Amino acid sequence: MNRWLSLALFVLAAFSAAALGGWATGSGVSTWYLTLNKPAWNPPGWIFGPVWTVLYAVMAVAAWRVWLVRAQPGAGLVLRVWFAQLALNALWSLLFFGLRSPGAALVEIVIFWAVLLWLQLRLPRYDRFAALLWAPYLAWVSFASFLNFTIWRLN
């Protein structure tokens, strides 16, 4: 497969998960979420769209770079786990905003974070740049995990 076509497919997969998460977030972000008690350090709503857009793009490029060396032992597993983390990514939005359940979302985000950490630890074996691209994603989900915990505790 053409390398640029494969990159486009990884971008499509990542932004498909984003679209599903956005659909689940829907009106909840402008209605129910506004009624929740949140910490003073909760980011303003406008920051989430730009941050997630960049993160979906870099996660796609990171996976694509592993796909380029897919013949290496274990690369296929990393790619399968990458797709699993996309599902976990979208599931969090479904739980938190769709079902309006910060508690269920908190349990899920702990699993999601562990999967992201697993990937962070394995990516350097295949591509150091992919690992560098992945680090902000792991950092943001670490922050989001703490925010999720705090919202759950406050409500």
Side-chain angles (χ1 to χ4, degrees):
M1 179 186 310
N2 177 299
R3 66 187 285 139
W4 301 115
L5 176 59
S6 63
L7 174 58
L9 292 174
F10 278 106
V11 169
L12 178 64
F15 282 94
S16 293
L20 181 57
W23 172 80
T25 301
S27 65
V29 75
S30 61
T31 56
W32 169 77
Y33 186 71
L34 296 177
T35 69
L36 295 175
N37 295 318
K38 293 177 274 313
W41 47 268
N42 189 73
W46 63 264
I47 198 118
F48 290 94
V51 167
W52 276 111
T53 299
V54 170
L55 292 175
Y56 282 112
V58 298
M59 75 173 77
V61 173
W64 172 68
R65 291 181 65 92
V66 173
W67 182 85
L68 292 174
V69 296
R70 64 193 174 280
Q72 290 187 24
L77 175 60
V78 168
L79 292 170
R80 287 189 297 279
V81 172
W82 183 84
F83 281 102
Q85 70 79 27
L86 279 183
L88 290 168
N89 183 308
L91 179 59
W92 183 87
S93 295
L94 290 167
L95 293 171
F96 192 93
F97 289 104
L99 296 178
R100 298 178 179 189
S101 179
L106 179 60
V107 171
E108 191 272 354
I109 205 169
V110 169
I111 297 164
F112 177 30
W113 182 87
V115 170
L116 297 182
L117 178 62
W118 185 91
L119 285 163
Q120 182 69 64
L121 295 173
R122 276 149 186 85
L123 284 171
R125 299 175 188 176
Y126 303 98
D127 188 279
R128 288 179 190 215
F129 186 63
L132 288 172
L133 290 172
W134 200 258
Y137 182 31
L138 179 60
W140 182 259
V141 174
S142 297
F143 171 76
S145 299
F146 187 59
L147 180 59
N148 188 158
F149 168 75
T150 305
I151 290 171
W152 170 75
R153 188 175 50 84
L154 291 172
N155 292 279

